[in-house]
Amino acid sequence: KCVKVYNDLQIKLIPNKQSASGVEPSSAEQKLCLDALMDPKVLVMCIQGPSGSGKTLLSISAALEQTIGPKPVFNKILLCKPVVPVDNDIGFLPGSEKDKLMPLMHSFFDNLEHISKEQDGLKFYNALNTQNKIDILPTYSIRGRSITNTFIIVDECQNLTSHAMKTIVSRVGEGTKIVLLGDPTQIDTAKLDVNNNGLTY
């Protein structure tokens, strides 16, 4: 059985049968992760793991369960990601800010498609966006905001500076949960390394 320790004193048994938005954890680590994602007492989470370990999938499924599920806790989901190309930058893209962001957010759409099981991830996102239940935002535009009653997921935090991370976390308002995801071994920003990136910080 999985257990979670609070202050080295209390032990909570985590049920074997748990899921969020139809997604079930497949390992002890994922069970612990999903339990914390669904725990209203845990308002700040930092999830580190290699590519394919389920960080984004579990986070989005927990966010959907607590936003559009039968017992909503949050009013909205906010998906954030630093705008950092993996290879050579392709230059300026046409269209609005949202149009420019869409190609960079496919990791979110892939997970939404897996969860919805019925429709394309982008269509699922657009349907929720129309209801004002989900939105995407580049991390650079979060300064000055106070975000309340929202489930925030910040992906690829290893590509953020410690200053950017402090700025993002300080935007969290009342009733908001923020989940920071990343892998320090997959840094795409030249001036950052495993020791000084925003996720490690």
Side-chain angles (χ1 to χ4, degrees), residues 116-184:
S116 73
K117 294 185 176 73
E118 296 177 0
Q119 55 184 314
D120 174 79
L122 182 56
K123 287 182 182 175
F124 186 34
Y125 165 81
N126 286 332
L128 293 172
N129 182 252
T130 302
Q131 301 168 41
N132 200 32
K133 290 295 180 183
I134 196 169
D135 203 0
I136 58 173
L137 192 70
T139 51
Y140 64 75
S141 66
I142 206 167
R143 181 184 292 280
R145 296 189 62 183
S146 181
I147 304 168
T148 59
N149 303 309
T150 302
F151 194 116
I152 304 175
I153 299 171
V154 187
D155 205 359
E156 306 293 347
C157 290
Q158 76 275 1
N159 286 319
L160 292 168
T161 63
S162 58
H163 175 74
M165 184 62 76
K166 283 191 283 188
T167 301
I168 291 166
V169 173
S170 67
R171 300 299 90 211
V172 174
E174 188 174 351
T176 287
K177 179 171 188 148
I178 185 165
V179 179
L180 311 170
L181 312 175
D183 179 4

Side-chain angles (χ1 to χ4, degrees), residues 4-68:
K4 180 166 64 176
V5 179
Y6 290 104
N7 302 324
D8 297 324
L9 296 173
Q10 300 176 16
I11 296 176
K12 175 185 176 184
L13 292 178
I14 299 175
N16 286 325
K17 300 245 176 175
Q18 61 173 347
S19 65
S21 304
V23 174
E24 295 182 7
S26 59
S27 67
E29 292 85 357
Q30 287 191 358
K31 285 180 184 178
L32 288 163
C33 182
L34 183 59
D35 185 72
L37 285 164
M38 297 294 292
D39 191 335
K41 291 183 240 160
V42 180
L43 297 177
V44 181
M45 281 187 71
C46 182
I47 306 173
Q48 177 182 319
S51 176
S53 58
K55 303 181 299 292
T56 309
L57 178 63
L58 288 173
S59 299
I60 292 177
S61 64
L64 288 169
E65 182 73 28
Q66 296 172 85
T67 305
I68 62 170

